[in-house]
Amino acid sequence: MPAEQPAAWRPSDTELFTTHGDAFVPHRREQIAVVCDLLAGIPEPRVLDLCCGEGLLSAEYLRRDTRARVILLDGSPEMLDKAAARLAPFPGRWERVRADIHDRDWRRGAFGGVMTSLAVHHLDGAGKRELYRDLHGMLVPGGVFVMADLVEPAGARARAVAAEHWDRAVRDAGGDEAARAFERAEWNYYRLPGPDPLDTPSSVAEHLTWLADAGFADADVVWLHAGHAIFTATRP
Ligand SMILES: C[S@@+](CC[C@H](N)C(=O)[O-])C[C@H]1O[C@@H](n2cnc3c(N)ncnc32)[C@H](O)[C@@H]1O
């Protein structure tokens, strides 16, 4: 467990994201619903919420299935506190773990599902490949991985549309105040000029290849808007 904040994510990011997350994440409620839809009927209702943030995915998953249990994992103690407060109505059905996504110490256990949103893009390509191999080993047969995350557009036209649609989604959901905060923080990855050392999304094709290489079946994209995609894959 790291003694300090993860290098890539600062308390100021937590502050900004928890204030404006409902606007900054395009169609956030719909994304949460799709992630939980994909976890329906998993072999064991025990799910890891990787980089859980405020615990929105976990709250919806626990609400849907009274048998469900979740492990909340995040590098930020502030986020874990917020998630714990959100999940107070579900006593005894969740645990919290502070860990860095880059580390491998936490990569053990037997889960029916792993869900994650807006975090795996902090790993580089090699890190994602290793993560997918490790997650495959952490799932029981028939277990399901579901990931919502930014993807790297394959070309300039797709990037321009992702940038435009993301700006529009933020304004539609949060109005002028959210749009100004989004622009000030330079949060729209698709408008940034060059490679970013902290945010390193991969293309849809790369994710699907790496998931298959890790041993997953039925790797697919089921939702995509404004550069945000939801993937699913199953351990055979
Ligand atoms: C954009 S937020 C997404 C939170 C949540 N999954 C959601 O969709 O609302 C990214 C989350 O990843 C966490 N995070 C960022 N870098 C991390 C790292 N290296 N290790 C562990 N957690 C990290 C942050 O603390 C934050 O909670």
Side-chain angles (χ1 to χ4, degrees):
M1 200 156 59
E4 65 287 322
Q5 287 283 314
W9 186 268
R10 297 153 302 175
S12 57
D13 294 319
T14 292
E15 171 78 29
L16 189 68
F17 188 74
T18 54
T19 303
H20 295 293
D22 287 346
F24 283 14
V25 182
H27 301 281
R28 195 178 203 187
R29 293 286 146 195
E30 186 178 320
Q31 289 203 52
I32 292 168
V34 171
V35 168
C36 291
D37 288 349
L38 288 163
L39 292 170
I42 54 175
E44 288 172 28
R46 180 168 186 269
V47 171
L48 173 67
D49 186 350
L50 177 58
C51 297
C52 62
E54 299 167 83
L56 289 167
L57 290 177
S58 284
E60 176 60 9
Y61 182 63
L62 291 174
R63 188 191 68 76
R64 286 185 181 204
D65 184 346
T66 54
R67 299 165 310 141
R69 301 280 184 278
V70 296
I71 309 296
L72 302 159
L73 185 151
D74 203 280
S76 158
E78 292 84 7
M79 281 297 203
L80 286 168
D81 286 348
K82 288 177 189 292
R86 183 177 303 278
L87 299 191
F90 307 101
R93 297 176 57 197
W94 53 272
E95 291 165 43
R96 54 188 274 177
V97 175
R98 185 179 173 207
D100 193 303
I101 191 175
H102 296 87
D103 292 341
R104 296 183 78 191
D105 298 353
W106 57 266
R107 299 183 188 183
R108 54 180 185 265
F111 293 92
V114 175
M115 60 184 170
T116 182
S117 171
L118 293 170
V120 170
H121 67 271
H122 292 310
L123 300 174
D124 62 13
K128 292 183 190 100
R129 297 183 79 146
E130 183 177 69
L131 176 73
Y132 294 163
R133 287 193 294 269
D134 290 342
L135 292 180
H136 181 270
M138 293 168 63
L139 286 164
V140 300
V144 173
F145 173 51
V146 183
M147 173 176 69
D149 206 1
L150 299 179
V151 290
E152 184 65 26
R157 293 169 72 84
R159 177 176 294 275
V161 169
E164 183 60 33
H165 286 189
W166 198 357
D167 280 346
R168 200 183 302 162
V170 172
R171 183 171 294 280
D172 287 350
D176 288 347
E177 191 191 335
R180 275 196 299 273
F182 189 64
E183 194 180 340
R184 253 197 325 270
E186 299 183 330
W187 202 273
N188 193 334
Y189 167 80
Y190 304 108
R191 295 216 181 277
L192 300 179
D196 184 318
L198 308 180
D199 294 325
T200 53
S202 299
S203 69
V204 167
E206 286 172 320
H207 283 294
L208 295 177
T209 300
W210 297 339
L211 287 165
D213 287 350
F216 283 100
D218 302 338
D220 209 348
V221 175
V222 297
W223 189 97
L224 198 158
H225 181 68
H228 293 64
I230 300 180
F231 294 84
T232 186
T234 302
R235 177 176 174 160

